Amino acid sequence: VPASQRTFENTVAFFDDMTAEFWQLASVAYLLQNVSPDEAMRAAANVTLMTLQNKAVDLFSNNRDVYQAVCDYVHNQGATQK
């Protein structure tokens, strides 16, 4: 989405939906890690969860494109409110 066309829906709400869906999927690994009676399954779920947590840092926390998109949205909001 071009910077000038950033809206709450296509920026903030989209990011919120994307992160919620990611963590909803990760919760399956979390559940298996904690309740599976199979030790191998728990270990595999643990590895999967650690991988997903590391990926989340790249996708959400340290993602300069996401940061810039939110900054563009905030800038656009200020411009339209003047």
Side-chain angles (χ1 to χ4, degrees):
V1 175
S4 63
Q5 296 177 6
R6 292 277 175 201
T7 65
F8 181 85
E9 290 77 21
N10 70 21
T11 304
V12 178
F14 177 79
F15 179 74
D16 185 56
D17 291 345
M18 182 176 56
T19 56
E21 188 171 329
F22 180 91
W23 289 115
Q24 183 178 16
L25 293 171
S27 70
V28 174
Y30 180 80
L31 179 66
L32 289 172
Q33 175 191 21
N34 287 288
V35 302
S36 178
D38 183 346
E39 185 177 343
M41 178 63 76
R42 289 193 310 272
N46 182 50
V47 170
T48 299
L49 191 57
M50 289 174 55
T51 300
L52 290 172
Q53 288 171 334
N54 289 334
K55 191 64 175 171
V57 170
D58 293 336
L59 289 173
F60 309 129
S61 301
N62 293 338
N63 190 321
R64 291 183 184 269
D65 292 335
V66 170
Y67 174 78
Q68 187 60 54
V70 173
C71 287
D72 293 342
Y73 163 71
V74 170
H75 176 75
N76 290 344
Q77 288 304 108
T80 59
Q81 292 178 1
K82 290 182 181 179

